[in-house]
Every structure is written in structure tokens, then in C-alpha cells.
Amino acid sequence: MYKNKEEKKLISPQQALSRLMELCSRSEKCTGDASVLLEKWGITEATRASILQTLVEQRYIDNRRYAAAFVRDKMVHNKWGRRKIFDALRMKRLPSDVIEEALSAIPSETEQEQLIIILRRKQGSVKAETKYQKRDKLVRYALSKGFLLEDILEVIDEIMAEK
């Protein structure tokens, strides 16, 4: 018979530690991700804290390194803005100072260039009856990508003036 997806797979703390070491060797993980996995595997709160401490001490997990890699990936591959990246990292339970440090590494020119590229690309596919409707749709799209309203309005004014 098929197993219920919600059913927890109970494993020993030693097995959990070795599995997490293997996972963290293959890809970056943060303490939040590891904690969720440990909880899913049925590891108690005290043991979870001990396992996480071991992983951090042995540098399998480094929240600053994770945040920096996450920011780079989301900027380059997903074309996300600061707001969306910040929210995603908060959902991963990272401290605000770690998130701010990772976001401060992004040059504002890079973010501005990303915004210009995605808005120019989107502008061609937006169907609207009036110039104002088109502007509204572009603003909504850029906001959903996590860019700041002030930056969006500035770039949209430039793009709309070009046509």
C-alpha cells in the first residue's frame, strides 16, 4: 500500500546528523531548512538544537554563506527584487542582520538594470487599452517581482518616454 505523505519517518539522531551532513555537502542549507527536516524526521527539540549546533560548528551550515548564495541566485536566475528576496529569507527563519548583510552586497545599479530588462521584456507582451492601464500592469508585475515602487515608477517613466 502507499504511505501517507504526512506520515513522519522516524530516524535516530545519529542518522539525522549524517543525512544532514550529506545534504549540506551537496547544496547550501540554512538552519531553518535543517530544522524543518529534523522536525519532519521526528527529532526532539533539544536534540535538534544539538544537531544544528554541530552542523554550524563543523561549517556544514553557515547562514551568512547561505544568504549570500540565495541572494545571488534569485537576482541572477529568478530576476527578483530586494523585497521578495528579503521576504523569502525571512520565511527561512534567518535573522534580519544576516539578510541585510547579504542584500547590501547587491549593487543598486545591478538591481536597476534587472528592473529595466524585465520591464522592457514585459512591456511587449502587455495588452492594455490605454497608456495608464499598461503602466498599471507593468507596476503590478514589477511589484510582484519584489522591486521597490519608487524604482519601478522611475524606470517605467523612462521606458514609456522612449516609445
Side-chain angles (χ1 to χ4, degrees):
M1 213 77 234
Y2 295 108
K3 289 186 178 181
N4 183 0
K5 286 186 179 182
E6 298 299 316
E7 185 178 310
K8 291 183 182 179
K9 295 179 183 178
L10 301 177
I11 61 175
S12 74
Q14 194 56 38
Q15 287 175 317
L17 178 62
S18 63
R19 278 190 190 179
L20 277 174
M21 284 179 170
E22 185 180 323
L23 282 172
C24 293
S25 323
R26 282 193 255 138
S27 67
E28 286 291 341
K29 300 287 180 212
C30 65
T31 53
D33 291 343
S35 182
V36 167
L37 281 173
L38 290 169
E39 187 177 340
K40 182 177 155 185
W41 293 336
I43 305 298
T44 64
E45 183 70 36
T47 310
R48 248 185 282 166
S50 171
I51 290 172
L52 288 175
Q53 183 179 359
T54 302
L55 291 169
V56 169
E57 286 172 356
Q58 295 182 10
R59 305 230 345 118
Y60 280 96
I61 293 178
D62 183 347
N63 284 337
R64 292 187 192 288
R65 186 177 65 212
Y66 176 83
F70 188 91
V71 168
R72 265 192 320 275
D73 286 351
K74 295 304 177 187
M75 282 290 294
V76 172
H77 300 296
N78 297 66
K79 310 287 190 250
W80 285 5
R82 286 179 189 275
R83 185 77 240 161
K84 192 165 186 171
I85 294 171
F86 181 87
D87 291 342
L89 287 172
R90 288 297 296 166
M91 289 181 68
K92 297 223 178 242
R93 304 177 193 170
L94 290 176
S96 294
D97 63 323
V98 171
I99 297 171
E100 290 299 330
E101 182 182 317
L103 287 173
S104 68
I106 303 170
S108 59
E109 305 86 44
T110 304
E111 190 173 10
Q112 190 84 354
E113 291 167 8
Q114 291 276 22
L115 181 58
I116 290 169
I117 290 168
I118 68 165
L119 285 176
R120 279 194 178 134
R121 188 175 299 141
K122 186 68 175 176
Q123 183 183 18
S125 65
V126 170
K127 291 177 177 53
E129 294 177 15
T130 67
K131 169 175 123 175
Y132 299 107
Q133 286 178 338
K134 186 172 198 168
R135 179 185 169 99
D136 184 51
K137 287 182 179 186
L138 289 173
V139 167
R140 287 174 193 237
Y141 176 72
L143 283 172
S144 75
K145 289 293 229 172
F147 292 94
L148 301 176
L149 183 60
E150 306 85 50
D151 297 339
I152 295 168
L153 295 175
E154 182 182 315
V155 169
I156 287 179
D157 288 340
E158 287 177 26
I159 291 174
M160 298 291 256
E162 290 173 0
K163 265 194 161 180

